[in-house]
Amino acid sequence: MTERNLRVAAAQMGPIGKGASKSAVVDRLITLLNLASEDNVELVVYPELTLTTFFPRWFVENENDIELESFFEANMPSPETEPLFSRAKELGIGFCLGYAELTKEGERYNTQILVDSHGEIVGKYRKVHLPGHEEHEPWRKFQHLERRYFQAGDSFPTWRTFGGIVGMAICNDRRWSETYRSLALGGAELILIGYNTPIHYAPDPSQDRLASFHSRLVMQSGAYQNGCYVIGVAKGGIEEGVESLSDSCIISPSGEILAEAKTDGDELIIADIDLDICKNYKQTIFDFARYRRPEAYKAITNQTGTIPPEEL
Ligand code: CDV
């Protein structure tokens, strides 16, 4: 294989209960890593907030609550995740891992890191688009309190690694076209996205039946419109009574799906990608330097909400 060819895998996870220890979760991650190694995979992508249950479904009043704090990592690698780093280094496999980050300054982020084949952290991304709400909303069947528990990240960095240019995004980020375009303007050829997507969407349940379609729609169009590969990885299945979308997949710059999960549990899906294929799109129909018109897009960075024309 040349340097621009890469064998990648999405390591989908099934549910992780509130009582599951991080060490038990890491054992599951290592099982998938070992499977990846048997197939000569070079990069394994795990989901958003991989190490614990999706705790934003629970309301916790006190931000210093001990159980809430236990969902966060103050160090990476932590004592519990160190075996994953060691095993990946031993196997020469890189990985991408989502977790809840607690900084030395006490800030909390929904974070994803990129680790190279030598076990070094080469990239860190903090979720920009935080969905849900800040306060307890008892009318919901379950909460989505990301806006209570996390601060938002403020950029979409990219890194030269794995023979190409890699960027990351987390769950709700994948629904925003700005995410892919920001990353692609940084040269991204491969975008790694972990997610936890409850199928029931309380603000508008008419969207529930479309959860799978919408997830694919945004990632496939993001890949095509930016000439990138996209790896979307779920923590799916029924976790503490809440059903979450699985449907992990690997998407080519054509927008086509190269590999997809068949189950709602721990599952590895693999694809061979050729980063040079990105050029087919980046140097033709989506030649940014030639065709983009940022002077016509000022509204995109100058405003958040819509400003419709005045009523006559
Ligand atoms: N973890 C997420 O960001 N989940 C959102 C839900 C709230 C819709 C998502 O976009 O999938």
Side-chain angles (χ1 to χ4, degrees), residues 108-109 126-130 150-154:
R108 297 173 189 209
Y109 295 100
R126 290 166 170 162
K127 188 172 183 176
V128 167
H129 299 100
L130 294 176
F150 299 117
Q151 287 175 240
D154 61 4

Side-chain angles (χ1 to χ4, degrees), residues 48 54 110 127 129 131-132 144 146 170-175 195-198 201:
E48 175 189 32
F54 189 72
N110 187 340
K127 188 172 183 176
H129 299 100
H144 198 108
E146 284 192 64
I170 302 179
C171 196
N172 191 259
D173 287 323
R174 77 192 190 285
R175 302 184 191 277
Y195 60 88
N196 281 264
T197 293
Y201 183 62

Side-chain angles (χ1 to χ4, degrees), residues 36-295:
S37 169
E38 284 169 20
D39 272 316
N40 300 316
V41 167
E42 296 164 270
L43 171 62
V44 172
V45 185
Y46 296 108
E48 175 189 32
L49 300 175
T50 308
L51 300 172
T52 64
T53 194
F54 189 72
F55 61 88
R57 78 167 64 88
W58 304 111
F59 172 69
V60 179
E61 177 125 48
N62 177 2
E63 67 170 46
N64 298 318
D65 178 89
I66 286 181
E67 188 180 34
L68 182 63
E69 276 185 357
S70 75
F71 295 128
F72 286 79
E73 310 301 319
N75 296 297
M76 191 52 71
S78 57
E80 292 95 339
T81 52
E82 207 284 322
L84 174 67
F85 280 72
S86 301
R87 184 64 180 147
K89 185 175 172 182
E90 196 172 274
L91 297 171
I93 301 180
F95 66 92
C96 172
L97 180 75
Y99 66 97
E101 177 191 6
L102 174 64
T103 70
K104 288 189 176 51
E105 295 74 33
E107 293 165 339
R108 297 173 189 209
Y109 295 100
N110 187 340
T111 295
Q112 213 169 262
I113 48 167
L114 184 57
V115 179
D116 71 10
S117 58
H118 307 291
E120 297 298 322
I121 298 177
V122 291
K124 179 186 276 191
Y125 167 73
R126 290 166 170 162
K127 188 172 183 176
V128 167
H129 299 100
L130 294 176
H133 48 109
E134 290 83 0
E135 300 302 330
H136 192 208
E137 296 188 3
W139 61 270
R140 292 175 184 253
K141 288 188 190 146
F142 51 88
Q143 305 295 296
H144 198 108
L145 286 158
E146 284 192 64
R147 296 175 72 84
R148 182 178 186 87
Y149 301 140
F150 299 117
Q151 287 175 240
D154 61 4
S155 65
F156 288 102
T158 53
W159 297 272
R160 264 187 206 282
T161 184
F162 293 98
I165 303 181
V166 183
M168 295 186 272
I170 302 179
C171 196
N172 191 259
D173 287 323
R174 77 192 190 285
R175 302 184 191 277
W176 298 89
S177 53
E178 292 88 342
T179 297
Y180 305 90
R181 186 50 52 87
S182 300
L183 288 168
L185 285 168
E189 298 171 311
L190 174 60
I191 300 179
L192 315 176
I193 308 178
Y195 60 88
N196 281 264
T197 293
I199 288 174
H200 173 59
Y201 183 62
D204 176 18
S206 76
Q207 296 178 30
D208 296 2
R209 71 177 182 85
L210 300 167
S212 173
F213 167 65
H214 286 159
S215 181
R216 292 276 165 97
L217 177 71
V218 289
M219 292 195 289
Q220 290 182 257
S221 53
Y224 165 65
Q225 290 172 338
N226 295 282
C228 296
Y229 285 93
V230 170
I231 306 181
V233 191
K235 174 140 73 64
I238 301 175
E239 190 178 83
E240 293 164 350
V242 176
E243 188 177 9
S244 287
L245 185 70
S246 298
D247 284 4
S248 302
C249 58
I250 302 174
I251 302 162
S252 85
S254 67
E256 293 168 292
I257 291 179
L258 301 175
E260 60 189 334
K262 301 276 185 284
T263 73
D264 287 337
D266 293 12
E267 181 180 349
L268 194 76
I269 58 165
I270 298 174
D272 288 320
I273 66 174
D274 175 0
L275 296 172
D276 278 337
I277 288 181
C278 299
K279 289 186 198 149
N280 295 1
Y281 294 84
K282 288 185 189 285
Q283 294 182 356
T284 61
I285 188 118
F286 295 117
D287 180 343
F288 287 177
R290 183 169 188 192
Y291 297 120
R292 286 187 76 249
R293 297 285 313 284
E295 65 279 18

